Amino acid sequence: MAFQILLNFFLAFLWMFLQVSFTSTSFIIGYILGLIITFAFRRFFNSRFYLWRVFAVISLLLLFLKELILSNISVLKTILKPRLDIKPGIFELPTELKTDWEITLLANLITLTPGTLVVDISYDNKILYIHTLDIPDVDEAVNDIKNTFEKAIMEVSR
Amino acid sequence: MTEIIRFLIGFFLIVGSFLTLVTAFGLIRLPDVYTRNHAASKSATLGVMCILLATFLFFFLEEGHFNSRLILGIIFIFITAPVAGHLISRAAYNSGVPLWEKSVRDDLKGKQKYEKKNM
């Protein structure tokens, strides 16, 4: 992926040298032309065309923001309810993600999800221990959300 | 247009300070470290982010001054707040702070057994 971006920059600079105009506009035009060329030659690269990955990162960021707002609403409800009828607990969640940065990202996402907070991670990076505010109704719903998160993160790293 | 902008700025400010207030309530009301951490790591994050966003919008749209440090502040808080929540609750668990007595499950007790089995 880094190689594709570097190549794209190289093509943009090539365009600037061909035009003999060193302005930001000609750089942007060259970058867009280079984007078309890298897209046309995408089957010669080992990884995917890098723009798809950029889109995946943006959608992950939007997911982050959405979850942050939803979790705030749920915490608000819990705190301002007159009777404190929560059932907290710690449950374990097996994860399929491998590298460290993916797991960090997943842990951050889970911490920003409604009613969940990562307490610990086992040494072999396979199980996340998650504290939740409400075990009965969250347990299964949360697992569904995890599947969407893991999918979104895999979409970025794959 | 300026009225819409002013409305937005006021809206973000009020929401941000309301969320921070609710965080303070949560710290008083909730029973143990872990549940308090829920309130502190979520509501406070969004509250401070909203206040910073309102400040940024005010200086950008009313005074015409683009302050990039506020944006950086928003990003840094967004990244670091969940990590801080995680570290505090992990330190609490490892130093033996008990869960609330009405807690239902505690899978973390089995962690050492799990690790011994898989090491």
Side-chain angles (χ1 to χ4, degrees):
Chain A
M1 176 188 170
F3 174 71
Q4 288 180 41
I5 294 175
L6 207 63
L7 189 70
N8 209 159
F9 266 87
F10 174 73
L11 288 173
F13 276 106
L14 193 69
W15 177 256
M16 278 160 72
F17 273 73
L18 283 172
Q19 292 287 305
V20 206
S21 80
F22 299 98
T23 55
S24 51
T25 6
S26 71
F27 177 79
I28 292 169
I29 292 170
Y31 197 87
I32 292 169
L33 290 174
L35 211 61
I36 294 170
I37 292 171
T38 20
F39 181 71
F41 285 90
R42 66 191 179 281
R43 74 187 186 94
F44 295 105
F45 299 115
N46 294 325
S47 53
R48 294 184 297 161
F49 178 54
Y50 76 92
L51 213 57
W52 303 148
R53 206 173 286 190
V54 173
F55 288 143
V57 169
I58 291 170
S59 75
L60 190 65
L61 198 70
L62 291 180
L63 193 67
F64 251 112
L65 282 177
K66 192 190 104 196
E67 289 303 327
L68 185 62
I69 292 166
L70 283 182
S71 73
N72 269 286
I73 292 169
S74 86
V75 166
L76 220 70
K77 269 189 207 151
T78 317
I79 293 174
L80 296 181
K81 215 187 270 176
R83 274 188 65 238
L84 208 60
D85 52 356
I86 52 175
K87 287 194 179 67
I90 295 179
F91 69 97
E92 50 186 33
L93 173 96
T95 175
E96 293 148 34
L97 298 175
K98 293 284 184 300
T99 54
D100 283 349
W101 69 267
E102 287 171 343
I103 291 172
T104 313
L105 215 57
L106 182 68
N108 268 5
L109 258 177
I110 290 170
T111 302
L112 293 176
T113 325
T116 51
L117 191 120
V118 178
V119 178
D120 213 341
I121 296 169
S122 69
Y123 281 115
D124 54 1
N125 285 351
K126 277 186 187 145
I127 292 180
L128 298 173
Y129 296 93
I130 299 170
H131 184 272
T132 172
L133 271 182
D134 233 343
I135 281 263
D137 46 273
V138 168
D139 208 0
E140 280 168 28
V142 155
N143 272 320
D144 291 342
I145 298 171
K146 296 295 148 41
N147 288 334
T148 65
F149 286 163
E150 272 194 355
K151 279 221 184 74
I153 292 174
M154 277 177 184
E155 197 71 26
V156 174
S157 66
R158 171 166 66 88
Chain B
M1 192 62 197
T2 48
E3 290 309 312
I4 298 173
I5 289 165
R6 277 181 194 150
F7 174 77
L8 263 185
I9 293 171
F11 174 77
F12 277 127
L13 263 185
I14 289 170
V15 166
S17 30
F18 176 68
L19 283 173
T20 323
L21 183 72
V22 168
T23 310
F25 278 147
L27 290 185
I28 298 168
R29 273 200 77 191
L30 291 172
D32 69 344
V33 183
Y34 307 99
T35 44
R36 279 177 190 158
N37 226 328
H38 278 278
S41 69
K42 283 164 200 165
S43 310
T45 316
L46 192 65
V48 175
M49 275 168 69
C50 278
I51 291 173
L52 281 179
L53 189 67
T55 322
F56 172 76
L57 284 178
F58 176 78
F59 280 108
F60 182 44
L61 298 169
E62 301 265 320
E63 317 252 316
H65 169 63
F66 185 89
N67 197 338
S68 53
R69 278 180 209 160
L70 286 169
I71 296 178
L72 273 186
I74 292 174
I75 295 172
F76 284 151
I77 286 175
F78 188 55
I79 296 171
T80 51
V83 180
H86 160 67
L87 282 180
I88 291 169
S89 56
R90 183 169 188 267
Y93 196 92
N94 285 343
S95 53
V97 178
L99 295 171
W100 189 34
E101 62 265 23
K102 283 182 193 159
S103 301
V104 186
R105 256 165 86 175
D106 187 4
D107 286 349
L108 193 48
K109 260 186 222 153
K111 187 192 173 210
Q112 288 196 333
K113 209 193 288 170
Y114 170 81
E115 272 164 4
K116 220 170 264 171
K117 207 171 67 187
N118 286 285
M119 279 311 223

